[in-house]
């Protein structure tokens, strides 16, 4: 699977539970939409993923990447009800970083 460099980094950082490195994949003004909540900016994104990592220990296994849609389908496994689950990660990239990420089922 040919993932853009920043998305491959995001997956690696998620699987290493490295919240700071995960947040560095985003622009300063990035926005993440997940579970009905919006997280604005790198600092808030790092807090969100750090809390999520501690609570769920979720890992990502990429299944498919749609280059036209900038959408990654991945199997997410962790300590949450219904694990594993397949989620879709909708990206908007800007200058090699993630400007927007929307996570859906």
């Amino acid at each position: 699977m040919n993932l853009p460099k920043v998305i491959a980094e995001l997956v690696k950082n998620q699987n290493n539970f490295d919240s700071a490195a995960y947040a560095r994949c985003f622009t300063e003004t990035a926005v993440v939409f997940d579970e009905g909540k919006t997280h604005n900016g790198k600092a808030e994104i790092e807090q969100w993923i750090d809390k999520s990592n501690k609570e769920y220990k979720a890992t990502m296994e990429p299944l498919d990447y749609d280059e036209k849609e900038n959408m990654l389908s991945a199997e997410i496994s962790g300590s949450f009800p219904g694990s594993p689950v397949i989620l879709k990660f909708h990206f908007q990239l800007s200058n090699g970083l993630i400007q927007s990420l929307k996570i859906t089922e």
Side-chain angles (χ1 to χ4, degrees):
M1 186 175 329
N2 192 16
L3 295 175
K5 186 175 188 257
V6 71
I7 296 175
E9 279 292 306
L10 185 86
V11 170
K12 181 184 90 174
N13 296 332
Q14 175 62 53
N15 291 340
N16 289 332
F17 307 112
D18 188 338
S19 303
Y22 184 100
R24 284 195 297 272
C25 294
F26 291 83
T27 67
E28 287 299 327
T29 59
V31 180
V32 172
F33 305 96
D34 182 42
E35 297 183 307
K37 294 185 181 132
T38 303
H39 309 281
N40 295 291
K42 265 188 184 179
E44 207 172 288
I45 290 168
E46 185 175 345
Q47 291 171 350
W48 157 74
I49 200 62
D50 192 54
K51 182 176 184 264
S52 179
N53 284 341
K54 288 175 179 156
E55 196 170 336
Y56 302 118
K57 296 281 188 233
T59 58
M60 297 176 73
E61 177 64 39
L63 301 174
D64 185 50
Y65 182 70
D66 183 332
E67 288 182 42
K68 274 196 323 215
E69 299 290 324
N70 263 347
M71 186 182 71
L72 174 68
S73 296
E75 182 178 89
I76 311 302
S77 301
S79 59
F80 55 87
S83 175
V85 64
I86 295 174
L87 297 178
K88 295 186 182 341
F89 295 77
H90 308 263
F91 294 95
Q92 286 182 357
L93 304 180
S94 176
N95 298 321
L97 293 173
I98 300 164
Q99 178 61 50
S100 171
L101 169 59
K102 183 177 185 180
I103 304 170
T104 63
E105 288 187 23

